[in-house]
Amino acid sequence: MVTLKQLAKELNVSISTVSKALNNSEEIGEETIKRVKELAKLYNYKPNKVALSLKQNKTKTIGVIIPNILNHFMAKVLFGIEREAGLHGYNIITCISNESLNKEKEGFQLLANGSVDGFILAVAKETQIKNEIAHFKKTLGDGFPIVMFDRVAHDVQCDKVIVDDFDSTYNATKYLINEGRKNICFITTIDGLSVGKLREQGYNKAILEENNQQLLTLKIDKQEDSQEKIKEFFENNTVDGVISADNATGVISINTAISLGLKVPNDVSVIGFSSKYISSHSIPKLTIIRQHAKDMGAFAAQLLINRLKNPSLPANETTTKIVKTSFVKNGSTL
Amino acid sequence: MVTLKQLAKELNVSISTVSKALNNSEEIGEETIKRVKELAKLYNYKPNKVALSLKQNKTKTIGVIIPNILNHFMAKVLFGIEREAGLHGYNIITCISNESLNKEKEGFQLLANGSVDGFILAVAKETQIKNEIAHFKKTLGDGFPIVMFDRVAHDVQCDKVIVDDFDSTYNATKYLINEGRKNICFITTIDGLSVGKLREQGYNKAILEENNQQLLTLKIDKQEDSQEKIKEFFENNTVDGVISADNATGVISINTAISLGLKVPNDVSVIGFSSKYISSHSIPKLTIIRQHAKDMGAFAAQLLINRLKNPSLPANETTTKIVKTSFVKNGSTL
DNA sequence: GTGAAAGCGCTAACAA
DNA sequence: TTGTTAGCGCTTTCAC
């Protein structure tokens, strides 16, 4: 990597002249600017990012702490963050918390040392269960803005990007009720998460509003085999409608129903929080509640960058952006 | 963020004393070390990463250029890279090339300015199709080590981590032949990729070795609807065996076969390059060729870090690690 | 119009 | 045992 020093030497001018020339300073003569720029291009000079960061006390880098990158939703949000960040000249450093509180804390430790200007994250499962928020507050106190998406800690004052989990599940359940379904069950593998709870509450509300409906819930642990649990559940319960809270049990429900000789959507109707990609892993395709993950990522990045660009924004004046889901009707509902 | 300067002032010692004390230098008195460390802990002092990077001319950061993070395989490799890098004290900056040559080049531009010490990447589709390698050579020439995984540019001399695509597809095809299948087709959505070609060749070899077999290939474009294409294909061809080159068409083939009234695996046997996660999106579950994506990521990180730690390693002495796949028999084969 | 010098936070050779 | 100084690459104020 060429440095200003080397260019200066070769051109027989001072370092500051080169620096100013490259930054189109008014102070420098046109002729000099031209000479400098030519040599810089020849040597493919690029200002050293690290030196710039040190000097300007900002890194133009965002720390992203993702609970689980193998989750398609999370990966999509990350994609959205990366793209939006790039548009604004920001890089992203990714840490994967693996749903662990400790790794989440480590992520902050690792990056809140000048590596990044701020953080975007979805709260790890363990953190949500233990309801720990001290590390968030500390990081905020240290002057690092934080944006939370999807799974947020409500007691932390920071910008947030969330989904209307409650409403969309409520509406989806209503949809099945209006189809005339009498035995609508709720299947979840994300019981421990804030979003999982909200979705369950949305389902509960819709069901409990009806006289002739009752709650029917299947909670599956991550370690368990979803296929088996669902099969067992279908065999032991009459089910004609399914609301799936996560991105996999929707298609698995469809496949299970079919393998049990049921017709989808005639005998069983299924709706799930999933993606287009996964929705095609069943025939008929899963009717989904789309969460616009990429948009969520983009919004999160915008909120953070906005705060970084306006350090005067009061820390207690935070924005919560609610990204409305879309109901995408595919073949698994009437 | 507290700096050495501030600690020094408060302790009435010099900056270098503080620095040495924190680094357990022999030069400094025990008592002083203790005082310094206590205050440092009190203030939660962390050495400024940027200053360190500038001073030591290395960032302990790896640039990862991923073609598509929504691909489950790629996400898993990224996961493996992140974990291994973390174990060695490295962070990762992620760029997503989106399969575009230009974005891949941009990734290098963006990061080869002191932001990272080296690169790990899978070559973008467009890059493979156009067979461009100049940017790789330039980056290597600039002194940044590169490790390629999965999709590699064979004409670039650098460390590589690849899968035994040819052999494992050959063996999988053989497996179906030994099951007595007579009409084995090869389905791919990754025709343009080096790995896609190798897999096709493995299939071709196995088929052409037999007298009573013939090639039957379905190539699907990313834009097209895999479900429709496969359905159409099954309706127009007699098929009793499927080798899927990508991670989705395997389960889709099973679901399609079932929806057409065929029995899996009795009437049709299916094997795919996929993951455990996706393999459960069909009933029976897909028999898969596992690629050990996490291990691949870990190996890639190891190779890169090893090179960073031993700058004397000759650039023309490169390692190609072949990660053998595992055949995981599930319900979609006999 | 150009250059010298300071300083971002840190380490390390050298001086005391 | 502790402190002074230089320097990593850059920007920017202030002199010339």
Side-chain angles (χ1 to χ4, degrees):
Chain A
M1 294 202 17
V2 208
T3 65
L4 288 185
K5 205 180 188 176
Q6 294 164 46
L7 294 180
K9 194 170 167 192
E10 192 138 340
L11 289 162
N12 268 317
V13 295
S14 75
I15 294 177
S16 52
T17 302
V18 179
S19 169
K20 287 171 186 165
L22 290 173
N23 290 308
N24 293 313
S25 164
E26 306 275 299
E27 298 178 19
I28 307 295
E30 261 188 42
E31 177 60 24
T32 316
I33 293 195
K34 204 170 142 234
R35 277 178 60 221
V36 170
K37 287 202 169 175
E38 267 168 11
L39 196 70
K41 179 177 272 178
L42 178 65
Y43 283 159
N44 190 28
Y45 169 80
K46 280 171 284 183
N48 184 303
K49 183 86 182 302
V50 175
L52 273 178
S53 297
L54 183 61
K55 180 78 188 159
Q56 308 182 331
N57 197 28
K58 52 185 178 188
T59 59
K60 290 274 227 166
T61 303
I62 296 172
V64 182
I65 303 180
I66 292 273
N68 173 10
I69 202 182
L70 302 181
N71 177 313
H72 200 248
F73 169 74
M74 291 289 169
K76 248 174 145 164
V77 177
L78 184 58
F79 181 71
I81 294 172
E82 198 268 351
R83 192 165 56 183
E84 187 70 19
L87 293 175
H88 296 270
Y90 280 78
N91 288 325
I92 61 170
I93 289 192
T94 313
C95 279
I96 296 165
S97 69
N98 240 320
E99 307 287 9
S100 134
L101 168 59
N102 247 333
K103 283 217 70 183
E104 186 176 278
K105 283 185 184 168
E106 260 180 57
F108 283 122
Q109 288 283 339
L110 236 53
L111 301 181
N113 59 358
S115 295
V116 304
D117 297 339
F119 291 91
I120 297 177
L121 68 102
V123 179
K125 188 171 177 180
E126 192 188 352
T127 310
Q128 289 209 319
I129 290 173
K130 296 192 175 162
N131 201 24
E132 278 253 349
I133 58 170
H135 54 307
F136 299 134
K137 295 206 161 169
K138 194 176 150 306
T139 307
L140 282 166
D142 285 350
F144 293 92
I146 294 180
V147 178
M148 296 182 179
F149 69 87
D150 192 48
R151 315 177 190 163
V152 302
H154 286 288
D155 298 336
V156 176
Q157 173 99 327
C158 66
D159 292 330
K160 289 162 191 159
V161 180
I162 55 175
V163 165
D164 57 336
D165 290 289
F166 182 90
D167 287 344
S168 46
T169 319
Y170 174 84
N171 291 334
T173 311
K174 275 285 190 198
Y175 186 95
L176 294 190
I177 292 171
N178 289 336
E179 271 188 353
R181 307 295 169 175
K182 301 294 177 211
N183 302 286
I184 303 167
C185 74
F186 179 81
I187 302 183
T188 179
T189 59
I190 53 170
D191 184 41
L193 303 178
S194 57
V195 293
K197 295 205 177 71
L198 287 169
R199 290 172 193 175
E200 186 176 2
Q201 286 160 16
Y203 160 82
N204 288 353
K205 175 156 188 252
I207 294 292
L208 296 175
E209 277 177 6
E210 308 293 317
N211 297 323
N212 55 349
Q213 298 275 350
Q214 48 188 342
L215 298 177
L216 191 59
T217 301
L218 171 60
K219 297 184 177 176
I220 302 173
D221 215 77
K222 270 279 185 256
Q223 283 82 264
E224 299 176 311
D225 183 312
S226 299
Q227 273 194 13
E228 269 177 36
K229 298 294 282 187
I230 292 175
K231 178 155 177 277
E232 197 182 300
F233 187 78
F234 280 9
E235 286 170 341
N236 295 326
N237 297 274
T238 313
V239 171
D240 62 4
V242 175
I243 301 287
S244 155
D246 56 276
N247 54 29
T249 53
V251 293
I252 296 178
S253 294
I254 295 176
N255 290 331
T256 304
I258 289 173
S259 81
L260 291 174
L262 299 167
K263 300 278 180 225
V264 177
N266 285 342
D267 301 335
V268 187
S269 197
V270 185
I271 300 175
F273 275 85
S274 198
S275 63
K276 188 180 170 209
Y277 173 70
I278 291 184
S279 74
S280 76
H281 290 177
S282 64
I283 299 176
K285 289 181 187 166
L286 177 65
T287 290
I288 55 177
I289 299 167
R290 275 197 62 194
Q291 298 175 79
H292 304 285
K294 283 181 218 168
D295 295 341
M296 292 181 69
F299 284 132
Q302 280 166 19
L303 282 172
L304 184 66
I305 291 168
N306 182 46
R307 207 163 268 278
L308 292 173
K309 290 206 170 144
N310 306 292
S312 54
L313 266 182
N316 60 3
E317 229 175 66
T318 58
T319 308
T320 294
K321 169 92 189 171
I322 298 176
V323 180
K324 284 250 164 70
T325 56
S326 307
F327 186 82
V328 181
K329 207 207 136 339
N330 287 318
S332 70
T333 48
L334 289 177
Chain B
M1 293 203 18
V2 209
T3 64
L4 288 185
K5 207 182 189 176
Q6 293 164 47
L7 293 180
K9 195 171 168 195
E10 191 138 341
L11 289 164
N12 269 316
V13 294
S14 76
I15 293 177
S16 56
T17 302
V18 179
S19 169
K20 287 171 187 164
L22 290 173
N23 291 308
N24 293 313
S25 163
E26 306 275 301
E27 299 178 16
I28 306 294
E30 261 188 41
E31 178 59 24
T32 316
I33 293 196
K34 206 173 138 229
R35 278 179 60 219
V36 170
K37 286 200 168 174
E38 267 168 13
L39 196 72
K41 180 177 270 178
L42 178 65
Y43 284 158
N44 190 26
Y45 169 80
K46 279 171 284 181
N48 184 303
K49 183 86 182 302
V50 174
L52 273 179
S53 298
L54 182 60
K55 178 77 188 163
Q56 309 183 329
N57 197 27
K58 52 184 177 189
T59 59
K60 289 275 229 166
T61 302
I62 297 172
V64 182
I65 304 179
I66 292 273
N68 171 11
I69 203 182
L70 303 180
N71 177 315
H72 200 249
F73 169 74
M74 291 289 171
K76 251 176 143 162
V77 176
L78 184 57
F79 181 71
I81 295 172
E82 198 268 350
R83 192 165 56 181
E84 187 70 18
L87 292 176
H88 296 269
Y90 280 77
N91 288 324
I92 61 171
I93 290 193
T94 313
C95 279
I96 297 165
S97 69
N98 240 321
E99 307 288 8
S100 135
L101 168 59
N102 248 333
K103 283 219 69 184
E104 186 175 276
K105 283 185 185 167
E106 260 180 57
F108 283 122
Q109 288 283 339
L110 236 51
L111 301 182
N113 59 359
S115 294
V116 304
D117 297 338
F119 291 91
I120 296 177
L121 69 101
V123 180
K125 187 172 177 178
E126 191 189 351
T127 310
Q128 288 210 319
I129 291 172
K130 295 191 175 162
N131 200 24
E132 277 252 350
I133 56 170
H135 54 308
F136 299 133
K137 296 207 161 170
K138 194 175 149 305
T139 306
L140 282 167
D142 286 350
F144 293 92
I146 295 180
V147 178
M148 296 182 177
F149 69 87
D150 191 49
R151 315 179 192 163
V152 302
H154 287 287
D155 297 336
V156 176
Q157 173 99 327
C158 65
D159 293 328
K160 287 162 191 161
V161 180
I162 55 174
V163 166
D164 57 336
D165 290 289
F166 182 89
D167 287 343
S168 46
T169 320
Y170 175 82
N171 292 333
T173 311
K174 274 287 190 197
Y175 186 96
L176 294 190
I177 291 172
N178 289 336
E179 272 188 353
R181 307 295 170 176
K182 301 292 178 213
N183 301 286
I184 303 167
C185 75
F186 179 80
I187 302 183
T188 179
T189 60
I190 53 170
D191 185 39
L193 302 179
S194 56
V195 293
K197 294 205 176 73
L198 286 169
R199 291 173 192 174
E200 186 176 2
Q201 286 160 16
Y203 159 84
N204 288 354
K205 173 153 187 256
I207 294 294
L208 297 175
E209 278 177 6
E210 309 292 316
N211 298 322
N212 54 347
Q213 298 275 351
Q214 48 189 341
L215 298 177
L216 191 58
T217 301
L218 171 60
K219 297 184 177 175
I220 303 174
D221 216 77
K222 270 280 185 251
Q223 284 81 264
E224 299 176 312
D225 183 313
S226 299
Q227 274 195 13
E228 269 178 35
K229 298 294 280 189
I230 292 174
K231 177 155 179 279
E232 197 182 300
F233 188 77
F234 280 9
E235 286 169 341
N236 295 327
N237 298 273
T238 312
V239 172
D240 61 4
V242 175
I243 301 287
S244 154
D246 57 276
N247 53 29
T249 53
V251 295
I252 297 178
S253 294
I254 295 176
N255 290 329
T256 304
I258 290 173
S259 82
L260 291 174
L262 299 166
K263 300 280 179 221
V264 177
N266 285 343
D267 300 335
V268 187
S269 196
V270 184
I271 299 174
F273 275 84
S274 197
S275 63
K276 186 180 171 208
Y277 173 71
I278 291 184
S279 74
S280 75
H281 289 178
S282 62
I283 299 178
K285 290 181 185 165
L286 177 64
T287 290
I288 55 176
I289 298 167
R290 275 196 63 195
Q291 297 174 81
H292 304 285
K294 283 181 218 168
D295 296 340
M296 292 180 69
F299 284 132
Q302 279 166 18
L303 282 172
L304 185 65
I305 291 170
N306 182 47
R307 207 164 267 279
L308 292 173
K309 290 207 171 146
N310 305 291
S312 54
L313 265 182
N316 61 2
E317 229 174 65
T318 58
T319 308
T320 293
K321 168 92 191 169
I322 299 176
V323 179
K324 284 251 163 68
T325 56
S326 307
F327 186 81
V328 180
K329 206 206 138 335
N330 287 318
S332 70
T333 48
L334 290 178

